[in-house]
Every structure is written in structure tokens, then in C-alpha cells.
């Protein structure tokens, strides 16, 4: 029987708890804010009064049998899946749990090279061996596109013993692969399909966007409601369909790494947000889409910028495009995306999602207004007028199939030595290096380091990109395999 999506079991239970004025002798230690007055001034009495721990009337995320279970069932229905699991460690925890639920030591997983670092971390935790498939590259705008059906097909044919197949839906830049055909291909070969939908919440609530993975029959997916849906940062959901992946295995795997002190603020925000999206999502995302189209059109009127969109669609490496990703190429004004990102933040008080060597990304979602978009457009015009230089060629991306010499897990736990980055050519990396955001590794544990990787990392450092992954915070040194 269809559920009532206006219900909010967890939120309702939290409100009832708050009304009862319970005297707490449990954690958290601030005791409804009384023990930390400055925190109350910052967050407010109401917030602190419902920052609580697990208890009978509020259920337990580790083994939900009450209001959390009811809220998760509503979430599953809203996202067209059989099951859902609340996440308080973000979709990064969801990606790790998905891979660890399916892949064990030595199992092969077919996975795009431009995955988020959480997927690489999951390979370390699970011991799975990556079979990388390359996204196509658009050298004119300097971005990775989607992975074609043919590339997945070739990888499956060459690795008939693969256990799972991983898909990104959509990429950071809004690129969507032909998910329906990829899922059909995986199913015909008995592979489990794992989908990273961190940026795809809105796909489930408006038909003007590409399809959500669970609607198309994916086995398991993880979605960041906080990114484009409106819940609190770090709140996400893992979705699964019955069949190849056991629900109990997912729950047990999640309990390996997810906090036993799950934030009720985060979980309640998921409950409230699910209600909003399930009951008003179509109208909300109609407005979001209209704002996105307006922003893209206005940006493209400014000399020197290119806000790319659906014109990239070729039904191969770009099967579809997510219009809420306002990706803007900046090379024609002679500036890197990193430089434009910094100018927007430092001089115009505008924070976009990220800047890379060639582009900036502004995400348009449920909280955006035309007024704020006009401020962004105005700032972009001003930057073009004040800072425009000679046009520069896009920086080519370093997305080639790396030489995976040992598994990420074996590399991570191997004996390592510390050497200068510029001297590491030919060595096997014991660490990851990535620009964050978006958090896509340039080199990962177990891969042989080459000159192109080093040049690209040095270029990003020189342009002011935030690099992470190594023990050395300045990325001057890297740990490689050896004593």
C-alpha cells in the first residue's frame, strides 16, 4: 500500500520528546545546551534541546525497529527503491558501504577512473581490485565526460570474473552516461550495479531531469540529499533494490563504520527533506531548472565565458546533461577556473562549488534565488572586464588508465618510504593525491607514478588548487612502496 509522504515519523517523535521536557542523564554532555552557553548562542536553544542520543521512543540507527525504520521506509518509496538506510557520515560512507557490501578481497570491480576518493578508500577497506574504465575527455573545455557503453562492454568482456560495476550519475560537471543500457549490460552478465548519485537527488522528483538509478533497476545507490535536496550537510541515504545485494549485509556493513552516536539533527533533516521533495519536488525542481537555464543563458551572453550544457549530448560519452550544474569554462578570458573561483570569493563574497584548471562550477538548487544568480552574473561580467587576459589553451586532463601494480589495499598497508614528489617518477604510490573539491584522485595507492601525473600536480599547486591525500600537507613529499 502506498505510504503517506506527508508523514514524518522521526521528526514527529523528536517534537514529542522536546515537549516532554525530559531530564537527561545520558549523553550528549551539554544537557540540552545548559552546559555550553556559547554553543546555545550560536545554534539556539531549540537546536540543542533536540541534539539527543538513541533511546526507545527515538529508535536506533544501528538496528532501526521504530520511527527511524518508518522514516527509512518512506524514503525508500520516495526514491523508488525497495530499501533505504540513513547516513550521517555523508555519501562517502555510503559509497564505502556499497562496495564493501558487494566486493571482498581480490574481487574485481569495473570502475570509472574519475571516481571520488571515497571509492578508492573503499577499495582499500574491501581489498577489491579496480578495473578502470576511462571517461571520454573534451579537450576544448577540459573536462572528463561520461563512460560509454562500449567502454563498459569491453571491460566486462576482458574481465568475465568481475563482481560489480560502478557508475557515476551524474558527474560533478553534470555529465550523465547511458545508465539504462549500462544497467542492462551489467544485468546480462550477472554483475552487481553500484551507483554514486551524490549529485543526483533531484533526478527522482522531476521528469525534466535524467532518470535516477533506482528507477531504472540499479542494485544499490547512494544519494546526498544535502547536496541538491536541502537537508543538513553530511546527511545522505543509501538505497537498495532486493535481489543481488542482501539488505542485512548492507546493514551489517554500514555498522562497521557508521557512528553509533548518529546525529538526530541530521536524521531529522532527512525526514523533513524527504517529505518536502516527495510532496513538492516537481514544482520545486521546475523552478530550480528555470533558474539554471536563465543562469546559463545569461552567462553565455558575457564575452569570454562558456557555460556548457545540453549541446554536449552525443548519446555516447554524454548521454544526457544535468542542467542544475552551472559549469563555466573560463579559458577564453585567459584565467583558470581556480583564479576565477578565488576572485569571486575574495572580492565579490560569492562562493562557488569549485574551480579547476579550466572551469568553475556553481550548483543551482532548492535554496537559490534569481537575485543571487544575478549577483553571480554581475560578478562574472565585472571579472571579465577587469581581469581578462589573452586566451589560453585548456589544460589537458591527466585521465589515462594508470598502471595498477598492486591493489590499493596492499599498497596502503605495504612498507613505504618518503621521497620528494618530483623524484617519484616510476615509483609505486603508497598514497593518493587529489584536488578537493571535487576529490578525484590524480594518483592512488598501488599505481605507478609517471611524469604527466607529477606535472599536473605541480600545475595545480602553482595555481592555488587545494590538494589533499598525502601525509605531507604541502604535497612536497609522497610515500611510495619500498623500505
Amino acid at each position: 500500500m502506498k505510504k503517506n509522504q506527508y508523514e514524518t515519523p522521526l521528526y514527529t517523535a523528536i517534537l514529542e520528546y522536546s515537549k516532554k521536557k525530559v531530564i537527561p542523564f545520558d549523553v550528549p554532555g551539554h544537557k540540552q545546551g545548559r552546559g555550553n552557553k556559547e554553543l546555545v548562542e550560536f545554534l539556539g536553544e531549540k537546536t540543542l534541546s533536540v541534539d539527543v542520543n538513541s533511546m526507545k521512543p527515538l529508535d536506533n540507527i544501528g538496528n532501526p525497529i521504530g520511527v527511524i525504520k518508518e522514516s527509512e521506509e518512506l524514503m525508500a518509496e520516495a526514491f523508488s527503491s525497495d530499501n533505504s538506510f540513513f547516513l550521517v557520515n555523508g555519501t562517502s560512507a555510503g559509497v564505502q558501504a556499497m562496495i564493501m557490501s558487494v566486493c571482498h578481497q581480490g574481487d574485481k570491480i569495473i570502475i570509472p577512473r574519475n571516481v571520488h576518493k571515497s571509492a578508492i578508500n573503499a577499495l582499500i577497506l574491501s581489498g577489491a581490485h579496480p578495473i578502470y574504465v576511462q571517461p571520454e575527455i573534451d579537450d576544448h573545455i577540459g573536462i572528463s565526460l561520461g563512460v560509454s557503453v562500449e567502454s563498459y562492454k569491453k571491460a566486462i568482456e576482458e574481465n568475465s570474473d568481475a563482481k560489480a560495476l560502478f557508475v557515476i550519475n551524474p558527474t560533478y560537471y553534470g555529465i550523465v552516461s547511458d545508465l539504462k543500457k549500462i544497467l542492462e549490460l551489467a544485468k546480462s552478465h550477472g554483475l552487481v550495479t553500484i551507483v554514486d548519485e551524490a549529485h543526483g537527488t533531484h533526478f527522482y522528483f522531476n521528469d525534466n531531469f535524467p532518470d535516477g538509478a533506482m528507477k531504472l533497476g540499479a542494485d544499490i545507490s547512494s544519494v546526498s540529499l544535502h547536496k541538491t535536496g536541502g537537508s543538513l550537510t553530511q546527511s545522505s541515504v543509501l538505497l537498495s533494490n532486493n535481489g543481488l545485494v542482501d539488505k542485512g549485509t548492507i546493514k551489517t556493513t554500514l555498522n562497521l563504520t557508521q557512528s553509533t552516536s548518529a546525529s538526530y539533527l541530521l536524521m531529522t533533516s532527512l525526514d523533513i527533506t524527504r517529505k518536502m521533495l516527495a510532496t513538492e519536488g516537481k514544482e520545486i525542481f521546475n523552478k530550480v531548472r528555470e533558474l539554471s537555464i536563465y543562469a546559463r543563458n545569461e552567462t553565455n551572453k558575457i564575452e569570454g565565458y562558456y557555460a556548457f550544457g545540453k549541446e554536449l549530448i552525443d548519446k555516447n560519452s554524454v548521454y544526457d546533461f544535468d542542467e542544475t550544474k552551472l559549469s563555466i569554462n573560463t579559458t577564453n578570458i585567459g584565467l583558470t577556473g581556480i583564479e576565477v573561483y578565488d576572485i569571486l570569493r575574495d572580492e565579490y563574497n560569492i562562493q562557488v562549488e569549485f574551480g579547476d584548471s579550466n572551469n568553475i562550477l556553481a550548483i543551482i538548487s532548492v535554496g537559490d534565488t534569481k537575485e543571487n544568480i544575478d549577483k553571480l552574473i554581475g560578478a562574472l561580467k565585472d571579472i571579465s572586464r577587469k581581469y581578462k587576459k589573452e586566451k589560453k589553451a585548456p589544460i589537458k586532463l591527466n585521465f589515462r588508465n594508470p598502471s595498477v601494480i598492486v591493489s590499493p589495499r596492499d599498497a596502503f598497508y605495504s612498507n613505504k618510504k618518503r621521497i620528494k614528489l618530483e623524484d617519484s617518477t616510476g615509483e609505486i604510490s603508497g598514497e593518493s593525491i587529489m584536488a578537493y573539491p571535487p576529490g578525484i584522485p590524480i594518483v592512488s595507492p598501488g599505481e605507478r607514478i609517471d611524469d604527466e601525473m607529477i606535472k599536473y600536480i605541480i600545475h595545480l599547486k602553482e595555481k592555488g588548487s587545494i590538494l589533499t591525500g598525502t601525509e605531507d600537507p604541502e604535497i612536497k613529499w609522497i610515500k611510495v612502496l619500498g623500505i
Side-chain angles (χ1 to χ4, degrees):
M1 187 174 71
K2 193 171 176 63
K3 297 183 181 298
N4 181 0
Q5 289 292 336
Y6 285 94
E7 292 182 354
T8 51
L10 181 55
Y11 177 44
T12 301
I14 284 282
L15 290 178
E16 286 299 312
Y17 166 86
S18 182
K19 289 176 185 175
K20 290 180 178 179
K21 306 292 184 185
V22 173
I23 299 171
F25 284 98
D26 60 350
V27 296
H30 61 68
K31 305 293 173 127
Q32 300 173 352
R34 287 185 291 274
N36 195 331
K37 297 304 180 186
E38 189 171 0
L39 193 61
V40 173
E41 290 173 11
F42 176 52
L43 295 176
E45 289 185 12
K46 187 169 185 179
T47 300
L48 272 294
S49 73
V50 293
D51 180 35
V52 296
N53 196 26
S54 298
M55 59 187 75
K56 271 190 177 180
L58 299 183
D59 208 355
N60 187 303
I61 195 173
N63 185 37
I65 56 174
V67 291
I68 294 176
K69 180 176 182 287
E70 293 171 23
S71 295
E72 288 182 335
E73 289 172 349
L74 284 160
M75 185 75 76
E77 181 181 90
F79 278 87
S80 304
S81 65
D82 292 329
N83 312 293
S84 85
F85 305 83
F86 283 2
L87 303 174
V88 295
N89 296 59
T91 291
S92 292
V95 168
Q96 291 171 3
M98 290 193 296
I99 292 176
M100 291 167 65
S101 294
V102 174
C103 297
H104 305 143
Q105 179 76 34
D107 286 342
K108 292 181 180 178
I109 177 171
I110 297 169
I111 189 166
R113 184 62 184 90
N114 59 329
V115 290
H116 186 261
K117 68 174 184 177
S118 59
I120 304 298
N121 292 343
L123 300 180
I124 293 171
L125 292 169
S126 66
H129 187 82
I131 304 298
Y132 287 120
V133 285
Q134 285 300 320
E136 301 295 323
I137 301 295
D138 188 320
D139 285 330
H140 296 293
I141 52 179
I143 69 164
S144 57
L145 304 173
V147 178
S148 68
V149 177
E150 282 304 310
S151 292
Y152 276 115
K153 184 177 180 182
K154 184 173 183 290
I156 292 172
E157 290 172 348
E158 293 176 354
N159 297 274
S160 58
D161 55 343
K163 184 79 171 289
L165 182 150
F166 193 100
V167 189
I168 307 167
N169 188 51
T171 71
Y172 234 116
Y173 296 100
I175 306 298
V176 175
S177 297
D178 190 348
L179 187 57
K180 184 177 180 181
K181 285 188 178 178
I182 292 168
L183 294 179
E184 290 172 352
L185 177 67
K187 186 175 182 180
S188 69
H189 287 81
L191 274 71
V192 177
T193 51
I194 302 171
V195 187
D196 178 352
E197 293 190 294
H199 286 269
T201 300
H202 49 296
F203 285 8
Y204 289 87
F205 301 100
N206 191 296
D207 292 339
N208 288 311
F209 296 119
D211 286 319
M214 306 313 287
K215 286 184 176 181
L216 295 176
D219 293 300
I220 191 166
S221 167
S222 194
V223 184
S224 298
L225 270 78
H226 70 94
K227 282 186 167 68
T228 61
S231 65
L232 290 177
T233 295
Q234 210 172 304
S235 60
S236 296
V237 63
L238 192 158
L239 308 166
S240 76
N241 282 324
N242 296 329
L244 295 181
V245 187
D246 178 65
K247 177 183 176 182
T249 299
I250 298 170
K251 185 178 85 167
T252 302
T253 305
L254 270 174
N255 285 340
L256 287 176
T257 56
Q258 181 147 258
S259 172
T260 56
S261 300
S263 168
Y264 277 83
L265 298 175
L266 298 182
M267 290 189 289
T268 303
S269 81
L270 286 172
D271 203 22
I272 293 170
T273 301
R274 183 268 315 153
K275 172 193 170 185
M276 177 184 75
L277 297 179
T279 59
E280 306 171 49
K282 182 177 180 181
E283 294 76 19
I284 288 170
F285 287 117
N286 276 339
K287 293 177 182 177
V288 170
R289 181 169 174 268
E290 288 171 9
L291 284 174
S292 302
I293 292 170
Y294 169 76
R296 183 166 282 102
N297 290 340
E298 291 300 307
T299 300
N300 283 330
K301 292 176 184 177
I302 308 170
E303 185 178 355
Y305 293 112
Y306 172 38
F308 47 90
K310 283 186 173 287
E311 71 280 357
L312 297 182
I313 293 173
D314 61 5
K315 295 301 179 183
N316 183 34
S317 56
V318 185
Y319 182 77
D320 207 341
F321 185 82
D322 175 13
E323 293 177 290
T324 70
K325 306 297 185 293
L326 182 62
S327 301
I328 304 170
N329 184 266
T330 64
T331 53
N332 283 343
I333 64 168
L335 298 175
T336 65
I338 301 165
E339 291 168 324
V340 174
Y341 171 98
D342 286 340
I343 295 169
L344 282 169
R345 183 195 60 227
D346 297 342
E347 298 187 22
Y348 296 90
N349 206 31
I350 292 174
Q351 181 68 57
V352 293
E353 178 68 12
F354 75 81
D356 63 21
S357 297
N358 305 301
N359 308 277
I360 60 169
L361 170 65
I363 292 177
I364 314 297
S365 196
V366 296
D368 284 297
T369 63
K370 183 176 180 298
E371 178 185 7
N372 281 346
I373 287 173
D374 284 337
K375 289 178 181 177
L376 172 61
I377 301 302
L380 291 172
K381 287 180 182 177
D382 210 29
I383 291 170
S384 177
R385 179 179 58 82
K386 290 168 63 177
Y387 295 98
K388 189 174 182 181
K389 301 176 184 176
E390 185 177 346
K391 177 182 175 181
K392 61 171 63 179
I395 302 295
K396 290 190 176 182
L397 300 182
N398 183 48
F399 281 135
R400 295 171 292 113
N401 260 351
S403 297
V404 181
I405 308 302
V406 299
S407 75
R409 181 186 181 90
D410 288 344
F412 184 83
Y413 288 109
S414 293
N415 292 325
K416 292 182 276 288
K417 61 184 179 182
R418 186 172 179 257
I419 64 174
K420 287 186 176 181
L421 176 66
E422 59 263 34
D423 296 334
S424 64
T425 299
E427 300 283 354
I428 301 170
S429 180
E431 299 181 294
S432 292
I433 298 179
M434 67 212 73
Y436 193 87
I440 298 169
I442 301 162
V443 61
S444 294
E447 297 175 2
R448 192 176 297 283
I449 301 167
D450 61 33
D451 285 335
E452 290 301 312
M453 290 175 177
I454 296 171
K455 288 177 184 176
Y456 189 55
I457 292 164
I458 291 171
H459 161 77
L460 291 175
K461 286 178 64 178
E462 290 173 345
K463 293 301 180 182
S465 183
I466 299 172
L467 296 175
T468 66
T470 58
E471 287 185 9
D472 172 24
E474 296 182 359
I475 323 293
K476 291 180 180 178
W477 299 79
I478 184 170
K479 284 193 167 182
V480 298
L481 270 59
I483 299 175

